[in-house]
Amino acid sequence: MTGAEKIIEKILADARTDVQNTERELEERRAALEAQYEARAQQDGEKILEDARQDAQEGRRRQLSMAQLEGRKAILAVKQELIAQAWEGALQALCALPVEEYRALIGKMLLETATEGEHELLIAQTDADRLGQAFLDEYAGPLAAKGATVRAGGFAPIRGGFILRTGGMEINCALETLMRMARGKYDAQVAEILF
């Protein structure tokens, strides 16, 4: 081999070594970058999964809260319905009192309500037999002692009790009206009894 060939061979060998070193460095850089990106992707993936887990837990918590709220609303609605049924049952029981008890109740209410002067008594159609003229005659004396006179005035669209007209004014003593007014005052006590 000649001197020039040896020099060329040396240059080629050095070039091959440089190429191999460069390839090795590039491979090492590629592997390092790949590992770095893989680590970052792993971290991002874990964060995404953790965020998704937290979102799912929050969603479950919200759904559970909503279900509990709906359950409480349903229970409250049932309780309110039971309370309303209790009041309706009480009204029906009052309207269905035996004649003498019913007349005594309505008579007491009439004596408490009627003031001095002339009044007109309107009753439920279903009370025509129980609160007719005989009833008015029975209470005429005690009413007269108060300076009140009461005459039959016909029927009112009520379930029980009466409406007392005096001049241009009406005093509503219908049992359903009185019960409705009592509900606001006694609903809590009824609920305690029921529940």
Side-chain angles (χ1 to χ4, degrees):
M1 202 185 277
T2 65
E5 288 177 342
K6 285 184 181 179
I7 292 174
I8 290 175
E9 187 60 33
K10 170 81 172 123
I11 291 172
L12 287 175
D14 288 344
R16 277 188 212 110
T17 302
D18 286 345
V19 166
Q20 287 173 349
N21 288 339
T22 301
E23 284 177 349
R24 189 173 48 250
E25 284 176 20
L26 287 174
E27 180 58 30
E28 287 172 1
R29 273 196 209 156
R30 185 199 57 78
L33 284 172
E34 196 174 271
Q36 181 183 2
Y37 286 124
E38 190 173 311
R40 186 180 293 162
Q42 180 71 24
Q43 287 173 344
D44 289 350
E46 288 172 4
K47 180 164 180 8
I48 289 169
L49 284 175
E50 182 57 32
D51 289 348
R53 275 190 216 104
Q54 287 178 357
D55 287 348
Q57 286 174 348
E58 180 62 22
R60 277 193 298 272
R61 188 192 62 72
R62 278 194 305 267
Q63 286 177 341
L64 180 60
S65 291
M66 289 300 292
Q68 289 171 340
L69 179 62
E70 291 300 319
R72 285 192 297 271
K73 282 182 184 177
I75 289 169
L76 180 60
V78 168
K79 285 182 177 182
Q80 288 173 337
E81 178 61 28
L82 290 173
I83 290 169
Q85 287 176 9
W87 283 104
E88 176 60 26
L91 176 60
Q92 288 175 5
L94 279 175
C95 290
L97 283 173
V99 173
E100 289 307 313
E101 287 180 51
Y102 188 76
R103 287 174 68 146
L105 171 69
I106 300 303
K108 182 179 181 207
M109 289 169 52
L110 181 60
L111 286 172
E112 290 174 358
T113 306
T115 57
E116 211 173 293
E118 293 187 16
H119 305 281
E120 187 177 40
L121 184 73
L122 295 116
I123 59 172
Q125 180 78 41
T126 55
D127 285 343
D129 293 336
R130 297 193 289 185
L131 302 179
Q133 191 59 48
F135 169 77
L136 289 175
D137 292 343
E138 181 181 337
Y139 284 92
L143 287 166
K146 293 179 68 172
T149 57
V150 177
R151 64 180 173 78
F155 301 108
I158 59 175
R159 293 172 60 184
F162 60 89
I163 294 174
L164 194 62
R165 282 190 187 150
T166 303
M169 181 176 71
E170 287 187 352
I171 301 169
N172 189 340
C173 291
L175 293 178
E176 58 264 38
T177 302
L178 298 174
M179 292 292 252
R180 197 171 33 253
M181 290 168 42
R183 276 195 74 168
K185 187 174 181 180
Y186 296 107
D187 258 359
Q189 291 173 334
V190 171
E192 281 180 31
I193 292 168
L194 291 175
F195 312 111

